[in-house]
Amino acid sequence: MEFGLSEEQEQIRDEVRRFAENEIVPNAEKYDTEEKFPHEIVDKAAEMGLVGSSIPIEYGGAGYSTLESAIIAEELFSHDPGIALSIMACSFGTEAIREFGTEDQKERFLEPVATGEKISGAAISEPDTGSDVSSVSTRAEKDGDEWVINGNKMWITNGTVGDFFVVFCKTDPDADGRYDGFSQIIVESDRDGVSSDKITGKLGIRASDTAELIFDNVRVPEENLVGDRDAAFLQQMHFFDATRTGVAAQGLGIAKGALEAALDYAEDREQFGQSISEFQAIQHKLSEMATETEAARNLTYKAAWNVDQGNDITKLASMAKEYASRVAVEVSNEAVQIHGGAGYVNDFPVERFYRDSKITQIYEGTTEIQKNVIARELLDD
């Protein structure tokens, strides 16, 4: 059993770390405070192949594997989760186009994202619909050779900066099955009837753009339908192994960043005539934080590796997502505690890690949903 990374994967990690140290760290507090999307940093990330990193080479991407994308996410999120999400989320929604789209759709929408010319998004959640995806009310009706879309989407990443969105909507309201009658349709943001309202005041990941999207009689050509009509729900389930593993990598990165910051501070801070790292209470905190982070890394990497092998890992992906997100919250909490009062203000990055960590327990399926999935898979074995 081989646990080590390849030389190429280690090089990817080193390059991403240098990029993060030079471009992200000096600007992290600014973009967090201003709740501003970091366009300049995203453009530089695109030049390095970090935007749409898993988009195939033939469509302008780097063609990285799930494991390599997890390594990138871990490293970026260990420096600043808000800017990291802004970079990695530029390709949200393209996985559906990559897997189910036509060749024309791939050429029109994948290549511009991979090169940084365009930003994509996935529009699924609604004001009244979160975990229960089958309850979405956004409608798409056929009118000649066009789709007419009406509805609202909520908590949409890249909502005010995106150039197009893959919109999950109801196309057959009379479908018999609870999970039938849904389709995914590409909607360009500059079409008549599309508007957005930026959401501010978020607890964390403030550099990442989040918005409500409104579709008011938006017309798009029928060729913007992604995959088969009325089959979108099963299409979405197809990606959960990879996307939940991706969020696990985000949580792992946050834990890694918080641990490293706590280690540095504990060694520098002196009380009672000695470094606080010499106190057993602090040593025990650090040892537990390091152990939990390493356990999250192994679970996340195992899940990512299995996705690359084409294995069905529904249970493992939910385990990785649930555990790594929990570790992110717990480790960042302890990092703030080690900093004491200094950890409660933005002079140090741990307060940002702490705020940013919580979202990993919410998006891409809440902690409670992950536990339901794990239990279901266990009982069905």
Side-chain angles (χ1 to χ4, degrees), residues 229-358:
R229 177 175 178 173
D230 300 332
F233 192 90
L234 292 179
Q235 291 174 1
Q236 276 296 315
M237 299 304 105
H238 179 83
F239 302 113
F240 277 157
D241 287 355
T243 56
R244 287 175 175 167
T245 298
V247 176
Q250 295 177 16
L252 168 60
I254 293 172
K256 176 178 181 286
L259 171 61
E260 291 175 347
L263 276 168
D264 289 342
Y265 186 83
E267 290 176 336
D268 290 341
R269 174 68 167 169
E270 290 189 0
Q271 287 290 280
F272 304 101
Q274 64 184 38
S275 165
I276 65 171
S277 64
E278 296 180 31
F279 292 106
Q280 189 180 61
I282 300 298
Q283 292 174 355
H284 284 185
K285 285 183 182 294
L286 292 170
S287 66
E288 290 171 0
M289 293 160 69
T291 301
E292 290 174 350
T293 301
E294 187 60 31
R297 178 174 292 110
N298 279 299
L299 193 53
T300 299
Y301 282 17
K302 180 180 179 181
W305 181 86
N306 273 279
V307 170
D308 289 333
Q309 304 311 305
N311 298 329
D312 182 2
I313 60 158
T314 300
K315 179 176 65 178
L316 180 59
S318 287
M319 286 178 169
K321 201 271 188 186
E322 190 283 323
Y323 183 74
S325 63
R326 172 156 45 98
V327 167
V329 172
E330 292 174 353
V331 170
S332 58
N333 175 52
E334 288 288 56
V336 171
Q337 192 70 20
I338 288 172
H339 280 68
Y344 202 67
V345 294
N346 62 4
D347 292 344
F348 292 90
V350 290
E351 66 87 26
R352 196 166 60 249
F353 284 127
Y354 187 38
R355 289 188 289 105
D356 291 344
S357 66
K358 189 59 186 175

Side-chain angles (χ1 to χ4, degrees), residues 13 27 45-46 52 65 88 113 153-154 157 162 167 173 176 199 211 218 235 246 262 276 290 303 349 380:
R13 183 192 298 282
N27 298 293
S65 66
M88 302 211 72
V113 170
K153 293 294 183 179
M154 196 68 171
T157 301
V167 181
D176 293 331
I199 297 171
V218 178
Q235 291 174 1
I276 65 171
D380 285 347

Side-chain angles (χ1 to χ4, degrees), residues 103-137:
E103 188 62 31
D104 175 65
Q105 289 173 344
K106 293 175 183 178
E107 291 177 356
R108 283 196 293 139
F109 296 106
L110 294 186
E111 292 186 16
V113 170
T115 58
E117 296 173 34
K118 291 187 177 181
I119 295 173
S120 61
I124 302 174
S125 296
E126 297 182 356
D128 296 322
T129 304
S131 297
D132 185 10
V133 176
S134 64
S135 295
V136 301
S137 58

Side-chain angles (χ1 to χ4, degrees), residues 25-161:
V25 173
N27 298 293
E29 182 186 337
K30 169 189 172 183
Y31 284 105
D32 175 76
T33 303
E34 297 179 0
E35 300 189 51
K36 179 183 175 183
F37 187 83
H39 284 284
E40 301 85 355
I41 299 176
V42 168
D43 289 343
K44 293 178 181 178
E47 294 174 3
M48 287 187 60
L50 301 181
V51 171
S53 60
S54 60
I55 292 177
I57 294 174
E58 57 265 35
Y59 299 110
Y64 286 136
S65 66
T66 306
L67 177 55
E68 289 161 347
S69 292
I71 292 168
I72 293 170
E74 177 188 358
E75 204 59 47
L76 289 176
F77 274 77
S78 72
H79 289 83
D80 180 67
I83 295 178
L85 183 61
S86 298
I87 293 170
M88 302 211 72
C90 282
S91 59
F92 272 12
T94 60
E95 63 277 356
I97 299 172
R98 190 170 70 241
E99 187 70 23
F100 301 108
T102 64
E103 188 62 31
D104 175 65
Q105 289 173 344
K106 293 175 183 178
E107 291 177 356
R108 283 196 293 139
F109 296 106
L110 294 186
E111 292 186 16
V113 170
T115 58
E117 296 173 34
K118 291 187 177 181
I119 295 173
S120 61
I124 302 174
S125 296
E126 297 182 356
D128 296 322
T129 304
S131 297
D132 185 10
V133 176
S134 64
S135 295
V136 301
S137 58
T138 296
R139 287 285 308 277
E141 299 178 306
K142 199 70 180 300
D143 182 21
D145 59 357
E146 293 181 316
W147 289 101
V148 182
I149 303 173
N150 285 281
N152 289 33
K153 293 294 183 179
M154 196 68 171
W155 312 118
I156 306 305
T157 301
N158 299 331
T160 69
V161 299

